[in-house]
Amino acid sequence: MQLTDEEIRQVMPHLQRFALWLTRNPHSAEDLVQSCLTKALTRRLDNTGTESLRAWLFAILYRQFIDGERRRKRYMKLLSFFTGEEALSDSSESLAIADDTLALFATLPTEYRVILLLVSVEGLSYKEVAATLDIPTGTVMSRLSRARKMLHEKLEGKVTPLPLRRLK
């Protein structure tokens, strides 16, 4: 089965988002998506389902990313050998930022953390989260908004007090 233009148009935003998430660089993400589609167009997909097409393309993109990272690490080792300098990677800085973000995330109230995890990480819809937690959809939306705002403010160094609750 050959990829059609319509199939590529449908899956392209998903591939771009995934590539950007992996690379954290828009230009590298574009290159990664392009190499993924090039590889996909030169091969054949055995299965004809839409979900299998997306999964197949995601797998190609991820493998391309891993191969590129391995090449980059080998190049950096080789470069450091010839220059005599210790190769510095921004992965330690990225890890420190990620640790700080996770620590700040842990300081959020439980009801905000749960909704942020279910929507942002697990990809559940507002309706699904509302059904899971047995709360109205509007409550999910407002808590999610407050959770994102609180996390953003904590990351920026601003501290906001928790909203007061009205007891019945």
Side-chain angles (χ1 to χ4, degrees), residues 14-111:
H14 302 285
L15 291 174
Q16 289 170 331
R17 183 174 44 242
F18 186 53
L20 187 58
W21 182 82
L22 288 171
T23 63
R24 299 290 186 206
N25 180 319
H27 301 294
S28 298
E30 286 176 22
D31 292 342
L32 188 59
V33 169
Q34 184 177 8
S35 73
C36 167
L37 289 175
T38 302
K39 193 166 207 162
L41 288 170
T42 60
R43 295 182 176 194
R44 296 183 67 94
L45 176 64
D46 297 332
N47 218 344
T48 59
T50 306
E51 285 302 315
S52 64
L53 172 68
R54 282 180 62 188
W56 182 63
L57 290 172
F58 279 140
I60 291 173
L61 189 133
Y62 184 69
R63 279 189 231 112
Q64 294 282 104
F65 172 73
I66 295 297
D67 290 345
E69 285 298 298
R70 287 180 184 147
R71 261 192 307 279
R72 185 184 64 79
K73 286 178 184 176
R74 280 194 306 265
Y75 175 76
M76 293 304 288
K77 281 183 183 178
L78 188 62
L79 185 64
S80 69
F81 175 75
F82 285 114
T83 60
E85 296 175 4
E86 189 67 29
L88 296 176
S89 67
D90 26 57
S91 63
S92 59
E93 180 184 359
S94 299
L95 288 174
I97 291 171
D99 286 344
D100 289 344
T101 304
L102 286 175
L104 290 174
F105 177 78
T107 64
L108 291 175
T110 304
E111 61 265 13

